[in-house]
Amino acid sequence: MSVNTDAMLMADKTWGKFNMNLMGGGNIYYTHYDFMKSTTQGGLSIPEFYSLNASVDPIKASSELKQKRVNSLYGKASFGWASTYFVDVTGRNDWSSTLSAKQRSYFYPSVLGSIVLSEIVKLPEWWDFMKVRASWTASKQDADIYANNNVYSVSTNV
């Protein structure tokens, strides 16, 4: 079972040639995995009788329960001038149940800038749009369910 819930607020306002677009929200992601498996061992005691009761050797049974929750807050602010110059700034903070309490929170930002050159420079008739973009981001990911050992490493001779 998996539940993924978002709530967002958005605003958009223009003053003359200046435009501002804001968005903020939150997310709650929860997953619950409950698994049980049983198999026969050593073949079947009665051919073509597919039952755990027909196992030659004692059956092999296993079960697994995994749960994970990630709470998030995120936001974006976009600014534009004269439909030519644009800056976007985003940020997201997650709190994951798979990490230790001291390291449960992690933040990842981004910044994007763009210029519509076709609004500034005269282009040939057959080319009607040109835009230059640059961006930077930092991305992060939490550990998988019960996989905390995967986020640590051991080095020798350091």
Side-chain angles (χ1 to χ4, degrees):
M1 176 186 74
S2 177
V3 178
N4 200 0
T5 306
D6 278 285
M8 290 183 262
L9 294 172
M10 298 188 334
D12 192 6
K13 183 68 176 166
T14 301
W15 297 274
K17 292 184 175 185
F18 180 76
N19 176 262
M20 180 176 65
N21 181 284
L22 303 174
M23 184 273 296
N27 174 270
I28 298 173
Y29 169 73
Y30 173 75
T31 185
H32 177 94
Y33 176 78
D34 197 352
F35 174 79
M36 180 180 244
K37 178 181 179 180
S38 298
T39 58
T40 61
Q41 298 295 303
L44 297 173
S45 61
I46 304 169
E48 297 185 22
F49 178 57
Y50 301 103
S51 170
L52 293 175
N53 293 328
S55 180
V56 172
D57 295 325
I59 64 170
K60 181 178 179 183
S62 64
S63 66
E64 195 173 354
L65 174 64
K66 294 181 178 182
Q67 297 181 86
K68 177 179 179 177
R69 181 172 174 157
V70 179
N71 297 328
S72 306
L73 291 175
Y74 50 85
K76 179 185 91 151
S78 298
F79 306 98
W81 178 261
S83 298
T84 305
Y85 305 96
F86 300 93
V87 174
D88 293 355
V89 179
T90 70
R92 179 179 177 118
N93 202 94
D94 288 346
W95 293 267
S96 176
S97 66
T98 62
L99 300 174
S100 68
K102 290 182 179 180
Q103 298 175 332
R104 189 159 287 158
S105 173
Y106 51 100
F107 179 74
Y108 36 108
S110 75
V111 178
L112 174 125
S114 63
I115 300 172
V116 180
L117 292 176
S118 53
E119 293 290 324
I120 302 169
V121 177
K122 177 90 167 123
L123 297 173
E125 189 175 306
W126 52 271
W127 191 346
D128 60 354
F129 185 79
M130 179 188 277
K131 185 177 191 177
V132 176
R133 296 173 50 136
S135 64
W136 170 87
T137 188
S139 69
K140 299 179 182 177
Q141 185 174 353
D142 60 345
D144 198 7
I145 300 171
Y146 307 123
N148 289 342
N149 288 340
N150 295 339
V151 300
Y152 301 104
S153 63
V154 176
S155 300
T156 58
N157 301 325
V158 176

